[in-house]
Amino acid sequence: MFEAYPALRTSLGALEIRRALPRRERRLVGPWCFLDRYGPLSFSDGTPMDVAPHPHIGIQTVSWLLDGEVLHQDSLGFEATVRAGGVNVMTAGRGIAHAERTPDANRGRLDGVQLWVALPDADRNIAATFEHIAEVPRLELRGGAAQVFMGALGGVTSSAAQFSAIVGADIDARDAITLPLAREFEHALFVLAGEGEADGERLAADTLYYLAPGRDEVLLRGRVLLLGGLPFPEKVLMWWNFVARDPGEIARARADWEDGRFGAVTGYRGGRIAAPPLHAVAPPNPAS
Ligand code: MN
């Protein structure tokens, strides 16, 4: 009934991830252009997430956790640990570098998603910034609730900067709930824990389900990630961690990173990630 896209298994350093966006057949859902799912996992030592400094342009990165901690550090000097219930949103605009890792003080668990939002052409060259929201707003519904970390849902709006009409929410429905949707949006569903259902259909794990525009609601049960937005009207070019419009911009951003023009993430101990060769045949694996 829904278009279903199984996630690809890949890795980010030591961390195993399931990549649900982009897929060849489904590159965007609204402005959402990247979805990595990792965990749940337990660990007794080390840092399962340790993504050394790397650059971004043209997107917002959105870090949402179900459990554990991720420490964000960037080239503007922002530093913030995100935990379940909060969100880290970095607006890369024309360029920023950041590192994300499990902090030394941690509870030994990690469970979350890393998301990117493509910025519209009118906004994608703005100055970079970063927001940490310790507790996102909740939409209470009969039988469950939604934590709204990006955009708006059912009249509840996240304070995170948004540049397109968008929604990003973590739904937790013990009983089936009727979730209001913006009719003009397209949406994606992705089960975050246990079993999920949409309109009475069982949702498989690690699978992105696509809902075309024209819906006023969906009947949901379980712990489910909801992403959505107006169909993005621009064609974007993704290469490594950059989202642009043409290959020249990608080449310039790559040279800027290699020549140190993104600035240093001074809070991070350790080296940085070198850009892959531009002539690589396959698109390089992003460092999210
Ligand atoms: Mn990143």
Side-chain angles (χ1 to χ4, degrees):
M1 174 167 150
F2 304 114
E3 290 176 38
Y5 303 94
L8 296 174
R9 291 184 177 273
T10 180
S11 61
L12 187 61
L15 189 62
E16 290 188 5
I17 57 181
R18 288 89 77 197
R19 180 157 300 151
L21 277 178
R23 299 300 317 276
R24 189 186 306 275
E25 311 82 1
R26 172 60 55 196
R27 306 201 67 85
L28 292 163
V29 177
W32 297 100
C33 62
F34 187 89
L35 164 54
D36 266 2
R37 173 84 177 103
Y38 52 85
L41 58 92
S42 298
F43 56 97
S44 53
D45 60 355
T47 54
M49 178 179 287
D50 192 354
V51 187
H54 60 278
H56 289 288
I57 63 167
I59 57 168
Q60 293 176 289
T61 65
V62 180
S63 301
W64 176 254
L65 293 181
L66 288 76
D67 198 1
E69 307 85 4
V70 170
L71 169 64
H72 161 99
Q73 297 167 306
D74 67 40
S75 52
L76 294 176
F78 288 103
E79 186 164 316
T81 299
V82 66
R83 296 179 177 81
V87 70
N88 277 352
V89 178
M90 182 179 77
T91 300
R94 62 175 173 261
I96 191 169
H98 75 153
E100 285 188 298
R101 68 179 181 91
T102 303
D104 296 335
N106 62 68
R107 66 177 68 190
R109 293 196 296 273
L110 185 61
D111 191 9
V113 289
Q114 177 70 57
L115 303 157
W116 297 355
V117 178
L119 291 172
D121 193 51
D123 300 303
R124 66 192 182 91
N125 290 309
I126 62 173
T129 188
F130 172 82
E131 299 165 84
H132 169 75
I133 300 170
E135 192 171 351
V136 306
R138 288 170 67 88
L139 171 66
E140 300 292 343
L141 295 158
R142 185 188 301 269
Q147 299 177 84
V148 183
F149 56 82
M150 281 295 280
L153 180 67
V156 170
T157 304
S158 168
S159 62
Q162 60 176 92
F163 298 88
S164 305
I166 190 171
V167 61
D170 181 336
I171 317 298
D172 194 356
R174 296 170 299 282
D175 309 318
I177 59 166
T178 300
L179 194 68
L181 299 178
R183 188 174 181 78
E184 62 276 20
F185 281 15
E186 56 185 1
H187 292 90
L189 302 173
F190 190 93
V191 172
L192 292 173
E195 296 201 338
E197 260 181 37
D199 290 351
E201 181 181 345
R202 185 173 177 277
L203 303 177
D206 296 330
T207 302
L208 185 92
Y209 291 89
Y210 175 78
L211 282 62
R215 286 179 156 267
D216 295 314
E217 59 187 38
V218 64
L219 186 67
L220 275 188
R221 192 180 59 77
R223 186 84 186 262
V224 180
L225 178 71
L226 172 76
L227 303 178
L230 287 176
F232 199 68
E234 302 164 36
K235 193 168 164 57
V236 302
L237 181 63
M238 287 181 67
W239 184 86
W240 195 37
N241 314 314
F242 303 136
V243 173
R245 297 297 181 276
D246 65 67
E249 291 175 60
I250 298 284
R252 282 193 296 280
R254 183 189 182 283
D256 285 345
W257 174 245
E258 290 302 282
D259 295 343
R261 288 190 289 272
F262 274 82
V265 182
T266 54
Y268 183 84
R269 50 172 198 268
R272 58 184 220 147
I273 300 177
L278 199 53
H279 54 74
V281 175
N285 206 18
S288 63

